[in-house]
């Protein structure tokens, strides 16, 4: 009696590496707080873990407010704040360490640009939902929860919030960008897109994502990240009620910004 060996089936034309399966829908968070009221007791299982990643360079004068706001997020689930010091020449890292906040830690890196810093943060983050925030962006207390709520749809790979400038802090009429100064992305969607592209760093050309290319500034860079995630087959949505505040730009910065956008 002999054993018969069956030849392996020939793969169909065009077969290649299979994408990882889409994640199951997240349990929808309990609706947001009514102004003047708290969230109340909510089962932690409704809120998956979130890693807030802040890329910072020479930001000692503004990083403390941004980190305190992120660590104080009104989010009942697991949350960590990772500050990636992108080769700062000032006391940025020491300022964050001096805060001694329990959910905050610092990664010191070489100067490589915003994309490189964000990709470094992604590599060490413990959670699969990632919130990106600029070093001068002060998150509203409910911003993380609102961003996560948009990711309950398993087809959504990224969501962008809104940035308000100046002291008025009025949410009406805001317009969001996804993701950039503030936004959230699934780790799987970011992996499919090849990481944060170099152009999202404002043209440093030294990021670690595969989507490399000459930068087009902050606004064009955010568009590059959106496009990469969409090309990978994910939807990108916007939540104008997930906000962060920034100070109005100084005159010199404003002039540079206007020249860049012409």
């Amino acid at each position: 009696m002999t054993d018969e060996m069956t030849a392996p089936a020939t793969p169909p034309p065009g077969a290649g590496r299979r994408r990882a399966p889409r994640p199951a829908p997240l349990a929808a968070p309990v609706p947001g707080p009514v102004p003047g009221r708290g969230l109340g007791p909510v089962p932690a299982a409704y809120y998956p873990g979130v890693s807030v990643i802040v890329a910072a360079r020479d930001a000692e004068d503004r990083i403390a407010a941004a980190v305190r706001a992120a660590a104080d997020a009104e989010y009942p689930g697991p949350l960590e704040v990772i500050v990636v010091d992108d080769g700062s020449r000032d006391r940025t890292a020491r300022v964050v360490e001096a805060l001694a906040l329990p959910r905050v830690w610092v990664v010191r890196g070489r100067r490589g640009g915003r994309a490189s810093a964000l990709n470094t943060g992604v590599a060490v983050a413990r959670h699969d939902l990632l919130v990106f925030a600029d070093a001068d962006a002060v998150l509203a207390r409910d911003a993380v929860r609102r961003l996560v709520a948009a990711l309950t749809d398993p087809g959504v790979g990224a969501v962008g919030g809104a940035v308000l400038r100046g002291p008025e802090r009025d949410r009406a009429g805001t317009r969001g960008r996804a993701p950039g100064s503030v936004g959230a992305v699934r780790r799987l969607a970011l992996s499919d897109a090849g990481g944060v592209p170099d152009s999202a760093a404002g043209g440093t050309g030294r990021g670690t994502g595969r989507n490399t290319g000459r930068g087009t500034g902050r606004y064009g860079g955010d568009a590059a990240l959106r496009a990469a995630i969409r090309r990978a087959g994910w939807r990108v949505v916007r939540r104008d009620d997930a906000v962060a505040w920034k100070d109005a730009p100084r005159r010199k910065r404003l002039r540079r910004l206007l020249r860049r956008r012409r």
Side-chain angles (χ1 to χ4, degrees):
M1 187 172 182
T2 59
D3 295 332
E4 294 183 357
M5 298 182 64
T6 304
T10 302
R17 181 177 64 87
R18 293 187 178 181
R19 285 185 54 191
R22 289 290 175 86
L26 300 174
V30 174
V34 177
R37 300 181 185 177
L39 277 171
V42 179
Y46 277 78
Y47 294 89
V50 172
S51 297
V52 180
I53 302 174
V54 181
R57 178 195 290 178
D58 299 334
E60 66 176 351
D61 59 337
R62 57 192 182 276
I63 190 65
V67 171
R68 284 195 186 100
D72 197 35
E74 198 174 56
Y75 189 75
L79 183 141
E80 65 177 353
V81 180
I82 303 170
V83 179
V84 183
D85 183 8
D86 184 36
S88 294
R89 296 170 182 169
D90 62 6
R91 300 176 58 256
T92 296
R94 293 195 293 274
V95 167
V96 177
E97 291 167 346
L99 296 175
L101 296 174
R103 298 194 291 184
V104 177
W105 50 297
V106 178
V107 177
R108 297 172 185 258
R110 294 182 178 179
R111 182 167 295 214
R114 180 171 178 263
S116 177
L118 290 176
N119 283 316
T120 296
V122 171
V124 300
R126 292 182 292 180
H127 303 302
D128 289 330
L129 295 188
L130 311 166
V131 171
F132 294 157
D134 285 350
D136 59 347
V138 177
L139 293 171
R141 292 198 68 195
D142 59 356
V144 172
R145 181 179 51 76
R146 292 181 184 277
L147 291 169
V148 170
L151 294 173
T152 57
D153 183 335
V156 174
V159 54
V163 175
L164 307 183
R165 294 189 179 274
E168 60 275 5
R169 300 196 173 194
D170 181 6
R171 298 186 190 215
T174 60
R175 293 293 181 267
R177 298 180 179 276
S181 296
V182 56
V185 62
R186 293 183 192 274
R187 184 188 295 273
L188 178 58
L190 189 61
S191 176
D192 286 346
V196 180
D198 289 343
S199 54
T204 64
R206 293 189 294 272
T208 59
R210 290 198 303 267
N211 299 294
T212 58
R214 186 175 180 181
T216 53
R218 169 59 49 83
Y219 294 97
D222 292 348
L225 184 52
R226 292 197 299 270
I229 292 172
R230 287 193 179 107
R231 283 196 301 269
W234 296 86
R235 289 170 51 215
V236 178
V237 300
R238 191 170 72 196
R239 283 293 296 253
D240 286 342
D241 58 353
V243 303
W245 290 287
K246 287 190 176 187
D247 292 334
R250 296 178 181 177
R251 289 185 178 181
K252 290 184 180 179
R253 291 174 54 197
L254 181 58
R255 285 197 295 267
R256 286 198 300 267
L257 178 62
L258 291 174
R259 285 197 299 268
R260 187 185 305 163
R261 297 184 67 185
R262 286 174 183 171

